[in-house]
Structures are given as C-alpha cells and as structure tokens.
Amino acid sequence: MFSLFQWKNLFKGMMIGASDVVPGVSGGTIALLVGIYERLIGAINGLTTKDWKRHVIFLIPVGLGMGISILTLSHLFSYLLESFPKPTFFFFLGLVMAIVPLLLREAEYKQNFQASHYVLLVIAAIFVAWTGFMGEPTSAVMTSLSGKDYVFLFFAGWLASSAMILPGISGSLVLLLLGVYETIINAVKTLHFPIILAVGFGVVIGLLLTSKFISYLFKNFRTATYAVVTGFVVGSIFVIFPGLPETFLYTIICLITFVFGFYLAYLLGQAGER
C-alpha cells in the first residue's frame, strides 16, 4: 500500500519533470529543492539490491509525476519558450538562485568548508557556466531515422540522464548540444514511440550507473560533493540567464516572474525540509 506521504512525491516528481523539459534547468537541482535528491539517488541505486521493493515504492510516484509532467508540459513549455522566452527563463532563474543558500545551509559550510572546498565550488561553477558558451547546435527534427540514428538517440538519452541527475547540469541542454532536443520533444508531443523507447532505455541505463557513482561520493566525500554540487548550481545561473529585457515593461514582467520563481523555491525548500 502506498501511504499519503509517498504520493506527495507525485507533485515533487512533476516539478522535476517540468524542469527537465527546459534547456539549462537541471532536474537534479529541483530534486534538491524539494528535499528528495539524496533519497532519489539512493532509491535508483537500490534497485539492484535485495531491498528493491522499498525503493520501487518511493520511485513509482516520483517517476509517474515526472512522466505526467513531461508529457503534458512539453507543449506548454514549447509555447512559453517560443512566445515568452525571457520571462520563462527568469522564472527558472529565480528558482535556481534560491537554491544556493539552501545547499550551503545543508552542507553546513561555515563549519565544514575549507579552502579546498571553495576551490572545488569555483571550478565546478566555471565548468557548468562554460557549457552556456558552447556553439549553437542544429535543432532540426530528425526524420527517416535509420538504425544508427536510434543507437545515437539511445546514447544521447544515456548522456542526458547522467547529466540530469547531477544538480546544475541540464539533461535538456545536453540533448540540445547533441542536436536531438527538438527531435525528442517532437516525439513526446506526437507520441512517436520508437524514439521515446530508444531514448528512454538510454535514460534508464544512465540513471542506474550514475546513481551508484553519486551515492559513493555522498557516502565518502559528503562535504566535497556538496561543494561541487553548489558550484554546479551557481554555474547554471549563467547558463539560464537569457540576457537583459529590451523594454521597461518587459523588464517588469521578467522581474515578476523572477520573484515568483524565487518565492516558489523558498516555499518548496521549506516543504522539503519538513
């Protein structure tokens, strides 16, 4: 039986799924925000253990929420990113910026951080910010796919999920850089199951392998891992920032969406702590 507590994770999964649709925004960052990141990593990692049933009970509502969100919000975010790109990105910018103090508090940085941890934080931030300056890839929808194309989509899903599970690194951005983002979003919209399955299998493999590595890091190098994760999130701010609005009215709209995102992150962070 699923408890009410478990089904609260349906909403948290929807938040993670919504962020995964937007290039530059990390699902791992939102998982941190809603307070289930380490539990999520542990549950994915635990699927290959004897205690897999307990982890499945946790993952079902999270995964269902992500699936619902991706299937339903792919249309909405495609519209928002095409029609109102800057206000949309300012909303996510507010979400992400509010996460940084939450992360630092979770890491108890005043007591635990040493000079080496700040160096790790800066290096991680520079690495993620650098991805925002990479060249624009092609965004054309792939048609008449061959067997090689499906293999490529499988590995694209693998790489994207490995990035997706790391806070601050966007799986959607990885797909964009690989030139398959529009193809996958179009497949979700039109329910093109061969593409969805190829990418989906890649995502599952990537999640299983990467979760084991991250679990090891949190267990053995907790403070250093939090330093790197915080750096990833700080760096993603530069990736998400869409540039300054062109008009005064547009500036006001962007500020409103930013404040709304920041306040929503604060509320989610409070709920996650409880």
Side-chain angles (χ1 to χ4, degrees), residues 83-157:
S83 305
F84 311 101
K86 286 188 178 179
T88 304
F89 275 111
F90 266 94
F91 167 75
F92 282 102
L93 190 64
L95 276 178
V96 172
M97 289 186 70
I99 294 170
V100 175
L102 294 175
L103 272 176
L104 291 173
R105 186 166 70 247
E106 183 71 21
E108 298 180 337
Y109 76 103
K110 290 182 179 180
Q111 294 80 23
N112 296 330
F113 272 28
Q114 300 175 3
S116 59
H117 297 121
Y118 288 105
V119 170
L120 285 173
L121 190 155
V122 170
I123 291 173
I126 291 173
F127 169 75
V128 174
W130 169 76
T131 65
F133 296 96
M134 298 179 72
E136 281 292 323
T138 178
S139 59
V141 175
M142 298 167 64
T143 57
S144 302
L145 278 71
S146 65
K148 290 182 180 179
D149 293 322
Y150 283 108
V151 171
F152 176 66
L153 287 168
F154 168 81
F155 282 106

Side-chain angles (χ1 to χ4, degrees), residues 1 130 212 230 272:
M1 290 289 293
W130 169 76
K212 292 184 180 297
T230 305

Side-chain angles (χ1 to χ4, degrees), residues 5-6 19 27-28 71 121 151 167 175 179 185 205 210 232 271:
F5 174 78
Q6 293 289 350
S19 67
L71 287 171
L121 190 155
V151 171
L175 295 176
I185 287 294
I205 297 298
T210 307
F232 283 163

